[in-house]
Amino acid sequence: MEFDENKEEEKYSEDDYVDIYSKRAIFWFSFFNLIFGGVLLVINLYNAGYRKAVPVVLAFVLFFSYLSYFVIMHSGVDLQQVVDAMNVTAKGGQPTAAQVTAMLSVAGLNIGFGLIGALILSQFFFRRYFPDNDYYPKPVGLPILIFIILMILTRIL
């Protein structure tokens, strides 16, 4: 093995790297809850020094969340049937075919909007501000715990 003394090795200081949540974490959190994934991306942007991008991402998250809510509410699906199906199922009964169809329609719309929002946050915004892999991924244990606690609290209240 030969060493080339004329060639300088690129040295990176600790300041060149920043700890942020990975693109995969942003995608999956956004898929299940766009606002939560958007908050993680905003934390990334803030920690990396892209403070001017924070309002843009927040505006997108709020607009897209409202758009998905608006489309689902005005999709023509009878949401009362969804509520009735959930009540019947909770009591151990069988929902009717119309109730099942309504539930599947709402679930399909939720999955579709979740996927589109997650792809936009992870593939457009994340790649725009973090095109290289010059970051250390933060562990996602604490965000997962917070997400679970918030989901439980919203179901109880």
Side-chain angles (χ1 to χ4, degrees):
M1 183 190 275
E2 293 182 26
F3 294 101
D4 189 5
E5 293 178 18
N6 296 330
K7 213 177 203 183
E8 261 186 59
E9 181 181 325
E10 288 186 30
K11 299 201 187 238
Y12 293 102
S13 68
E14 289 294 319
D15 296 334
D16 291 341
Y17 292 99
V18 65
D19 289 343
I20 61 173
Y21 296 107
S22 69
K23 183 169 55 168
R24 182 181 296 165
I26 300 294
F27 175 82
W28 285 109
F29 277 106
S30 299
F31 179 72
F32 291 108
N33 188 319
L34 187 69
I35 294 173
F36 200 84
V39 167
L40 291 181
L41 183 58
V42 164
I43 291 170
N44 284 353
L45 293 169
Y46 188 81
N47 289 341
Y50 296 113
R51 287 168 177 71
K52 290 184 179 181
V54 169
V56 174
V57 171
L58 284 177
F60 166 75
V61 167
L62 292 175
F63 170 75
F64 197 80
S65 295
Y66 175 75
L67 177 70
S68 62
Y69 172 78
F70 182 80
V71 168
I72 289 171
M73 294 308 262
H74 295 88
S75 64
V77 175
D78 186 6
L79 296 177
Q80 186 59 45
Q81 287 192 356
V82 175
V83 172
D84 292 342
M86 291 171 61
N87 289 335
V88 166
T89 306
K91 293 177 184 175
Q94 289 284 357
T96 65
Q99 292 171 339
V100 170
T101 303
M103 285 176 57
L104 289 175
S105 297
V106 170
L109 287 170
N110 273 329
I111 289 171
F113 277 110
L115 182 62
I116 291 169
L119 286 172
I120 291 172
L121 280 184
S122 65
Q123 297 299 322
F124 177 72
F125 285 112
F126 192 91
R127 276 194 179 176
R128 181 175 184 186
Y129 296 105
F130 306 105
D132 301 323
N133 288 331
D134 60 347
Y135 62 88
Y136 294 119
K138 270 187 181 179
V140 294
L142 184 61
I144 289 173
L145 181 64
I146 293 170
F147 183 76
I148 291 171
I149 290 171
L150 287 175
M151 289 297 114
I152 291 172
L153 286 176
T154 58
R155 299 298 184 241
I156 291 173
L157 303 174

